[in-house]
Amino acid sequence: MLKAIIIILLICVLLSGFRVVPQNNEGLIETLGKYSRTVKAGFVFIIPLVQHIRRVSLAMFPAEISKYSIITKDNAEITTSLTLNYLVTDSYKYFYNNTDSVKSMVELIRGHLRDIIGRMDLNDALGSTSEINAQLSDAIGDLTDIYGIRVVRVNIDELLPSTEIQKAMDKQLTADREKIAAIEKAEGEAKNIELTTKAKNEALVATAKANAEAVKTRADAEAYRIAKLQASLADASDGYFKNQSLDSFNNLATGPNNLIVVDKDDITNLGKIPATAKVWQQTEDK
């Protein structure tokens, strides 16, 4: 009976030495507290009561680096926070080379970020998030290998200046916007004046052109009338002009004026008119 109990206990002890390392994990086997070997995922046997197995996950882990302050090159204080993804590449280094490899990795990243931003002015830092991410990834690429960790991705979530700087920047931004608005308003008014003046000038020019065209048209019509009149007079006979003279004399004669108009060629014959001769004789007698 005792032997059966002993056999059962030995079987239980032996069975307790069979372990399963899950998928995407590695097992660190320690013999009497000292590392002996690394095993992959699967069915593993260890010596009960002598050996111990530590499981290390090889899956990717997310991590967040909480907000902390950094001083820029121009002595401005900004607050930043990061997120990253990492995975274990060497379970032995990860577990035995450092008491807390993840914390050491985080401190390494924080230090490099301080160095990168510390060499930049505030405005450059706030506007260069992508560039900072690239520099940080290059800087920590191989350094975290000493912890058995590889950082797959690191991203700066925010870069915020201090409250005082934010207030100053808001005031400056407001002033710049007001300045831009004032400039745009002035430019709009100037453009409006320019367009109005241009429209008035164009109207004056159009009016002047229209008047000039009207004057030219009237002048052309008058010139045409005179030319036609002159051409008609040039072709007219002497009888036409005598008839015109007679008509003029008749009109004068019927008028209220005591005026006699004669042709210069007939002035010598004026004395032959009876009434005229009598007047002249009376004038001589006196």
Side-chain angles (χ1 to χ4, degrees), residues 187-253:
E187 290 177 348
E189 292 177 350
K191 188 66 176 179
N192 183 49
I193 293 174
E194 179 185 353
L195 294 175
T196 302
T197 304
K198 182 179 179 181
K200 290 181 179 179
N201 291 337
E202 289 177 350
L204 291 175
V205 171
T207 302
K209 286 183 178 180
N211 291 336
E213 289 292 333
V215 171
K216 183 177 182 300
T217 302
R218 288 195 298 268
D220 291 342
E222 182 66 17
Y224 178 77
R225 186 187 69 80
I226 293 173
K228 295 296 290 183
L229 180 61
Q230 289 178 345
S232 298
L233 292 176
D235 295 337
S237 62
D238 293 339
Y240 171 77
F241 292 107
K242 288 182 179 181
N243 290 332
Q244 292 295 318
S245 298
L246 291 175
D247 291 339
S248 299
F249 291 155
N250 290 331
N251 291 331
L252 288 173

Side-chain angles (χ1 to χ4, degrees), residues 102-121:
V102 174
K103 182 178 180 181
S104 298
M105 174 195 66
V106 169
E107 292 300 326
L108 177 66
I109 293 174
R110 288 162 64 103
H112 276 288
L113 185 58
R114 282 196 181 96
D115 179 64
I116 293 171
I117 295 180
R119 289 183 276 108
M120 304 176 71
D121 292 332

Side-chain angles (χ1 to χ4, degrees), residues 142-202:
D142 298 327
L143 295 178
T144 54
D145 183 61
I146 61 176
Y147 308 122
I149 294 174
R150 180 167 64 89
V151 177
V152 178
R153 184 188 66 86
V154 60
N155 183 68
I156 297 176
D157 293 332
E158 61 180 13
L159 284 174
L160 297 176
S162 63
T163 305
E164 293 76 11
I165 295 177
Q166 288 187 48
K167 290 180 179 179
M169 292 175 67
D170 290 341
K171 290 181 180 180
Q172 182 64 40
L173 183 60
T174 301
D176 290 342
R177 288 176 177 173
E178 291 176 350
K179 179 180 178 181
I180 293 173
I183 292 174
E184 291 179 348
K185 181 180 179 181
E187 290 177 348
E189 292 177 350
K191 188 66 176 179
N192 183 49
I193 293 174
E194 179 185 353
L195 294 175
T196 302
T197 304
K198 182 179 179 181
K200 290 181 179 179
N201 291 337
E202 289 177 350

